[in-house]
Amino acid sequence: MDAGIVSYGAYVPRYRITPEEIGKVWGTDGNAMGAGLGVQRKSVPAPDEDTITISTEALRVALVRGRIDPQEIGAMYVGSESHPYAVKPTATVVAQAVGATPNLTAADFEFACKAGTAAIQTCLGLVGAGMIRYGVAIGSDTSQGAPGDALEYSASAGGAAFVIGRENVIARIQHTLSYTTDTPDFWRREGQRYPSHGGRFTGEPAYFRHVSECARRMFERAGTTPKDYAYVVFHQPNGKFPQRIGRQLGFTDAQMRWGLVTPYIGNTYSGAALIGLANVLDHAHPGERILVVGYGSGAGSDAFDVVTTDALTGFDRSFGTPVQQFLDSGVEIPYATYAKFRGKIHMGGG
Amino acid sequence: MRDVAILGVGMTKFGELWDRSFREIGIEAGFQALVDAKLSSGDLGALYLGNMASGSLIDQEHIAPLILDYSGLGSRHLEAVRVEGGGASGALALHQGWLAVASGAHDFVVVGGAEKLTDVPDTMANAIAGDTADHEWEAVFGATLPSLWAMMARRHMHEYGTQRTDLASVAVHAHEMASKNPNAHYRNRLSVDQVVHASPVAEPLGMLDCAPFSDGAAAVVLGPLERARKFTDTPIRLAASQVACDTMALQHRRDLTTLDSTVVAAKRAFAQARMTPKEVQVAEVDDAYTISALLALEDLGFVPKGEAGRRFAEGAFGPGGPLTVNPSGGLKAQGRPFGAVGVAQAVEIVRQLRGEAGERQAAGATRGLTHDLGGTGATSVVHLFERVN
Amino acid sequence: MSIARFWRETPRRYNLGGSRCANCGTVYFPPRAVCPSCAKHRQSLGRLEPFQLSGDGEVVTFTIVHDAAEGFEMQVPYALAIVRTREGPMLTGQVVDMDPREVRIGLKVRATFRKLRSEGDAGVIHYGYKFTPAEPSAPRPAPAAEDQIPTPAPSEPRGARA
């Protein structure tokens, strides 16, 4: 395939809360929870942010960096599990907000945390078929954990946008494949505010099985082993799972380093693997190979074998914020402010 | 154009009038004014009724015939017109009434103003007030009416050194005057400290910098000056009536610290009346927000630009001085039933010029001014009054 | 709020699409059909062209709102400012992503895309511009063809895109 990533941008909201702070409210040792999850702090969206605003911000950055005329975008897909509307696609508002309307196709994707990677695959297909010039794939979420549940310590907000095309490709996507089954590890029924999950069932039969099976199939397809990759990015619901699967598969900590973002901003769900990939691209050099293996509950894994090109050298990242800055910075807030921001406090009469 | 006189005045108490309906307060003020004018309703040619938001507040549009009807005049088929211009509605109604009599279209007219703000919850009243600013480009983006005035205050403080305590002195003065006004919504005295430390609304303005939402009605009867002595021993001539407008949104104004509409309306009014600001001894200016009063005093030409804060704090505008400001207690303390305000200002000035203002009397006043604003100054209405002997 | 009334303004509220008078060069936001600056207003009819604002600006005055506008209750206290844009026109909007206490006259800001309010839990969500403290931004995407300003003289040909 000669199609790939032409440009990218990421956005993580400004506020942070620590596991320690969350634990105080529930009488739990938050520090221990955080250590167990491998999460130091997580991002919190402001009351005026949502998946639509986060996606728009990330895409605006990508379009400016890539000097892309939004009118040349032929398709836009936003993957999330926290679309502001159940019916009315996030992609339509984002498309209007970046000036891409009306000559494009658009839709929203849902596949838990791998909706964004699924969107990339779709764009690859449309670009490869010559149907569109540029496709936009965004993974973005403002996910919530039920108050007091383990997920509350990690569920966070953020997103990344990728422009897929064939011209001025900075990272070519050589192969992509997926591994999909019906596995009820984590779900949310229509109308429910918070998701439910199967506890320890979310580990071996879900995340680990799908990620490893998908990775193995990719090694076979691409004829590679872990040492052929400079970097690897996994979906990362916490800081521990990706490191464990990485070591199981034979990757080193150095290879996993840039792609691991959850410890610093929490699990951004559909944004996680994509923000990880964005951080890798922020640090990569031309001619380096990257393996990306996303995962979405329900369940499935999408893998990408990516190689950076010489065009990466001329890629201008001066607009927008480097992912590392999002990881290193942020304003800590107390639980009360967090609850207010996340709408856990209900105003009457509404 | 012939000279117009005010023959009679009347007003209800301003405040939270839970037991009184819109119709009731409109009629009460109107009849009081008629009785004061010694006119009978049969003499009237028209009713001009200032009202800002009856549709949103009491689910009733088309309220002029309503008041006409409940005054017993429906079957007489008089002309009745509602006039709206945000907070300036009452003053605009006065302007229409003046035009009607000055032009000869009618001989005797009633000008009324009425509003029932407590018929909706405060949050809704706030939103309705905010709709006198630019809804699409100010309110939609989070601006409330006090927040827009607060931004003007901030800029005035930045450019001219006006202090928070200067703003507070406007409220203190208003309450001091209203303590002598049996019709006032608030009659308690305030201190500068209380005003400065009141809960913030939109900084630097706090709760006590902002006029309350009040119910109330006021009315005046107008007639030709040449016939006035038949009805009153103290005819007051409406020497000038001027309206000037400006851009809707504050962001589009020429200068954020000047109400150009007030500057122009005042210049035109003083020219029309052949008067100068120095000759005015008593004035009712729009003090819906403490900063509004300061800008008004500057833009009407009473003090140089930037000076009003200092002068107010020095007590330059109390009774006994060359210019008594807001002897009624203003919008701040007498109250702010939006559509009634402009007419109530006229009621107070007429009483002052007749020498009937009791404890609030500005001694020997013969010339007065009223100033009423719509929104953040998109409309300004200035009237000048003169006692004729 | 009316669905159509808000939808109609999205090119302005999402993208800061303004207008520029081809006759005298003045830039406006929101867009206008008649140029107030032209000595002869009639000369401006049909000549207000779409003009894309960059979103860069400077705070001219501000307040911290405690008594919220309708729909903004969960955001109090919030900073509201009048911002003078690089291109000239002034706008009113919230300043976010910073402590409201640190907003000051002269602060350089750039426009960002945020939720304004929604009609309860079941209604449409309204989005638009707010301002964040910032460094200068690169050019915004140009407005699409259908964002042109309707003119009062339908017989005139539509102005060219910016």
Side-chain angles (χ1 to χ4, degrees):
Chain A
M1 268 198 282
D2 57 351
I5 299 164
V6 175
S7 184
Y8 67 97
Y11 175 79
V12 177
R14 186 174 175 255
Y15 302 97
R16 304 283 179 273
I17 189 169
T18 61
E20 183 185 359
E21 180 63 21
I22 297 171
K24 272 189 221 162
V25 171
W26 303 108
T28 311
D29 182 350
N31 271 322
M33 280 299 287
L37 290 168
V39 173
Q40 295 171 21
R41 56 187 174 275
K42 68 171 195 171
S43 64
V44 183
D48 59 355
E49 297 189 285
D50 63 14
T51 294
I52 287 176
T53 65
I54 290 170
S55 302
T56 299
E57 197 62 32
L59 180 55
R60 279 183 174 172
V61 167
L63 293 178
V64 170
R65 285 175 171 178
R67 295 180 188 4
I68 292 161
D69 178 354
Q71 286 290 298
E72 296 293 335
I73 296 170
M76 186 173 311
Y77 301 108
V78 181
S80 179
E81 57 185 273
S82 53
H83 290 292
Y85 294 91
V87 177
K88 180 166 164 45
T90 297
T92 58
V93 183
V94 175
Q96 173 74 55
V98 300
T101 54
N103 300 313
L104 79 167
T105 179
D108 279 359
F109 278 31
E110 186 281 309
F111 199 138
C113 303
K114 83 160 194 75
T117 50
I120 292 178
Q121 292 177 320
T122 307
C123 286
L124 282 171
L126 291 173
V127 167
M131 288 168 67
I132 62 174
R133 186 172 174 197
Y134 294 118
V136 167
I138 299 174
S140 164
D141 256 300
T142 56
S143 39
Q144 289 227 53
D149 180 83
L151 286 176
E152 196 185 16
Y153 292 88
S154 56
S156 69
F162 286 81
V163 181
I164 307 297
R166 274 173 151 153
E167 303 154 55
N168 302 314
V169 168
I170 59 172
R172 215 172 72 246
I173 299 176
Q174 303 188 113
H175 307 281
T176 182
L177 61 77
S178 300
Y179 182 85
T180 307
T181 69
D182 172 6
T183 303
D185 57 316
F186 169 102
W187 67 93
R188 183 168 62 80
R189 293 286 298 278
E190 187 74 63
Q192 291 296 302
R193 194 183 171 85
Y194 300 112
S196 311
H197 57 86
R200 291 192 56 81
F201 183 74
T202 62
E204 200 282 314
Y207 178 88
F208 291 96
R209 178 171 308 172
H210 292 72
V211 172
S212 56
E213 288 299 320
C214 192
R216 280 188 233 288
R217 280 163 174 70
M218 178 57 90
F219 292 145
E220 215 177 285
R221 165 84 66 86
T224 52
T225 68
K227 57 177 168 40
D228 292 313
Y229 297 97
Y231 313 101
V232 64
V233 184
F234 295 109
H235 172 54
Q236 40 200 284
N238 52 57
K240 295 293 174 78
F241 278 19
Q243 292 186 76
R244 191 169 354 141
I245 192 71
R247 284 181 204 128
Q248 270 178 29
L249 290 169
F251 288 96
T252 66
D253 287 354
Q255 287 170 303
M256 292 190 271
R257 182 186 177 184
W258 300 122
L260 190 60
V261 298
T262 293
Y264 316 104
I265 55 174
N267 177 8
T268 51
Y269 283 55
S270 299
L274 297 185
I275 294 175
L277 175 57
N279 199 31
V280 167
L281 290 173
D282 278 357
H283 290 92
H285 304 96
E288 292 186 309
R289 204 160 183 172
I290 310 165
L291 177 68
V292 182
V293 189
Y295 172 76
S297 292
S301 229
D302 300 328
F304 301 88
D305 179 306
V306 182
V307 67
T308 56
T309 70
D310 288 335
L312 184 61
T313 323
F315 183 66
D316 182 4
R317 282 186 211 84
S318 58
F319 186 76
T321 309
V323 176
Q324 196 62 46
Q325 199 174 312
F326 287 128
L327 304 184
D328 294 340
S329 67
V331 172
E332 273 185 34
I333 55 174
Y335 193 91
T337 308
Y338 162 76
K340 174 184 166 190
F341 280 10
R342 300 273 32 215
K344 293 185 207 250
I345 298 174
H346 287 270
M347 301 296 257
Chain B
M1 301 277 260
R2 57 187 177 170
D3 279 334
V4 177
I6 298 167
L7 307 178
V9 300
M11 64 184 280
T12 65
K13 274 183 161 36
F14 282 5
E16 294 172 352
L17 310 178
W18 304 111
D19 296 330
R20 322 286 312 289
S21 70
F22 183 83
R23 291 165 212 215
E24 287 171 348
I25 60 175
I27 297 161
E28 177 186 329
F31 272 102
Q32 230 189 82
L34 269 179
V35 164
D36 187 47
K38 300 192 204 61
L39 227 67
S40 87
S41 49
D43 300 317
L44 293 172
L47 160 68
Y48 298 96
L49 184 62
N51 173 273
M52 180 183 78
S54 60
S56 312
L57 292 167
I58 61 172
D59 283 332
Q60 180 71 60
E61 305 286 10
H62 201 199
I63 36 135
L66 182 73
I67 296 300
L68 191 73
D69 179 9
Y70 278 78
S71 304
L73 298 170
S75 50
R76 304 259 180 96
H77 309 300
L78 262 55
E79 170 184 342
V81 179
R82 173 194 180 182
V83 183
E84 186 275 324
S89 300
L92 287 170
L94 183 57
H95 179 70
Q96 294 301 314
W98 168 78
L99 268 172
V101 175
S103 67
H106 290 291
D107 283 339
F108 299 101
V109 306
V110 174
V111 171
E115 208 88 47
K116 274 291 287 177
L117 276 157
T118 63
D119 275 1
V120 301
D122 268 2
T123 46
M124 214 171 135
N126 269 317
I128 291 166
D131 286 345
T132 60
D134 187 331
H135 180 85
E136 299 290 338
W137 302 102
E138 293 179 310
V140 159
F141 289 91
T144 58
L145 200 53
S147 70
L148 295 166
W149 284 102
M151 289 198 283
M152 285 194 263
R154 172 90 57 197
R155 192 73 209 178
H156 199 268
M157 291 160 90
H158 175 79
E159 287 185 39
Y160 301 109
T162 299
Q163 301 294 306
R164 180 76 190 83
T165 46
D166 296 339
L167 295 171
S169 65
V170 174
V172 170
H173 171 80
H175 280 248
E176 181 60 42
M177 305 286 13
S179 67
K180 304 171 178 121
N181 181 350
N183 284 328
H185 188 157
Y186 285 103
R187 302 190 59 190
N188 56 314
R189 289 183 165 84
L190 293 178
S191 70
V192 166
D193 218 59
Q194 273 176 294
V195 179
V196 169
H197 291 111
S199 6
V201 169
E203 297 177 33
L205 301 179
M207 189 99 105
L208 295 177
D209 288 282
C210 306
F213 290 137
S214 321
D215 302 328
V220 298
V221 174
L222 306 180
L225 180 61
E226 68 210 3
R227 292 162 66 180
R229 294 218 178 267
K230 257 185 72 182
F231 303 95
T232 171
D233 294 327
T234 49
I236 306 296
R237 184 172 82 98
L238 196 43
S241 177
Q242 292 289 343
V243 179
C245 293
D246 199 343
T247 67
M248 193 65 188
L250 179 59
Q251 71 209 46
H252 292 140
R253 301 275 166 76
R254 182 193 61 85
D255 174 18
L256 296 176
T257 63
T258 302
L259 302 169
D260 281 348
S261 61
T262 294
V263 171
V264 171
K267 286 206 166 89
R268 290 181 188 154
F270 284 114
Q272 181 181 5
R274 293 199 193 82
M275 253 190 236
T276 66
K278 281 195 172 35
E279 295 174 76
V280 174
Q281 295 129 336
V282 63
E284 287 273 316
V285 308
D286 195 316
D287 63 340
Y289 305 94
T290 49
I291 180 65
S292 331
L294 298 186
L295 298 186
L297 291 171
E298 292 170 359
D299 298 334
L300 289 165
F302 291 125
V303 300
K305 188 40 105 182
E307 289 293 304
R310 262 179 289 282
R311 302 281 292 274
F312 221 114
E314 287 163 10
F317 302 111
L323 174 68
T324 303
V325 169
N326 292 1
S328 65
L331 282 67
K332 173 67 192 77
Q334 177 174 250
R336 190 188 187 194
F338 284 75
V341 160
V343 184
Q345 291 175 324
V347 170
E348 177 67 17
I349 293 299
V350 166
R351 287 187 171 148
Q352 288 282 341
L353 299 186
R354 283 176 178 174
E356 289 171 7
E359 284 187 277
R360 306 192 304 285
Q361 184 68 50
T366 57
R367 292 190 172 92
L369 172 147
T370 61
H371 162 259
D372 200 9
L373 289 169
T376 57
T379 297
S380 282
V381 187
V382 175
H383 285 89
L384 286 166
F385 305 75
E386 189 176 36
R387 181 187 173 115
V388 289
N389 278 307
Chain C
M1 193 192 292
S2 135
I3 291 182
R5 184 155 58 84
F6 207 97
W7 158 81
R8 197 175 292 135
E9 297 303 329
T10 52
R12 271 67 72 185
R13 296 204 175 118
Y14 287 12
N15 299 335
L16 289 178
S19 62
R20 184 184 162 278
C21 177
N23 197 43
C24 72
T26 313
V27 175
Y28 294 102
F29 187 86
R32 288 181 178 258
V34 180
C35 177
S37 303
C38 278
K40 288 212 166 83
H41 291 177
R42 208 163 290 188
Q43 284 176 348
S44 70
L45 290 181
R47 302 199 63 204
L48 276 300
E49 302 163 341
F51 182 91
Q52 187 60 57
L53 272 72
S54 62
D56 293 336
E58 189 177 302
V59 170
V60 166
T61 184
F62 68 97
T63 179
I64 299 177
V65 180
H66 293 260
D67 209 357
E70 211 176 5
F72 288 76
E73 296 83 0
M74 284 306 266
Q75 297 176 49
V76 297
Y78 57 87
L80 182 78
I82 291 183
V83 171
R84 180 176 293 287
T85 59
R86 174 150 54 89
E87 296 83 1
M90 296 206 283
L91 277 69
T92 302
Q94 290 175 275
V95 180
V96 294
D97 273 7
M98 65 184 290
D99 183 348
R101 308 245 141 249
E102 292 179 12
V103 177
R104 60 178 200 286
I105 292 174
L107 178 74
K108 298 252 184 292
V109 293
R110 90 170 166 106
T112 187
F113 181 80
R114 290 293 172 97
K115 208 167 26 170
L116 292 175
R117 48 170 291 195
S118 64
E119 304 284 303
D121 283 339
V124 174
I125 306 171
H126 300 305
Y127 297 90
Y129 51 79
K130 299 192 184 186
F131 296 93
T132 55
E135 60 284 327
S137 63
R140 264 237 166 160
E146 84 278 9
D147 298 349
Q148 291 191 53
I149 318 311
T151 69
S155 57
E156 310 245 353
R158 285 198 149 195
R161 270 179 64 178

